[in-house]
């Protein structure tokens, strides 16, 4: 399983603090591209997309 998929899945039912932790970790992961990070942000905050 890819790191991206693990982050994506972790955001599914995450609360506000967990979302911030997951996104921070993904942002500092050299294997996550900018488009993937953008997808994760949209997953975490769909109401703002």
């Amino acid at each position: 399983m890819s790191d991206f998929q693990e982050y994506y899945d972790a955001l599914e039912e995450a609360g506000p603090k967990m979302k911030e932790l997951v996104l921070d970790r993904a942002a500092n992961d050299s294997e996550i591209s900018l488009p993937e990070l953008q997808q994760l942000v949209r997953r975490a905050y769909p109401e703002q997309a």
Side-chain angles (χ1 to χ4, degrees), residues 7-49:
Y7 292 128
Y8 193 86
D9 292 345
L11 290 168
E12 184 173 0
E13 294 185 27
K17 182 64 176 173
M18 186 62 170
K19 286 179 182 180
E20 290 299 316
L21 292 171
V22 171
L23 291 175
D24 183 59
R25 189 168 179 168
N28 290 295
D29 186 333
S30 63
E31 298 295 315
I32 299 298
S33 68
L34 185 56
E36 288 175 326
L37 185 57
Q38 289 172 322
Q39 263 189 281
L40 292 172
V41 171
R42 284 193 299 271
R43 171 85 163 174
Y45 304 106
E47 63 280 355
Q48 296 177 14

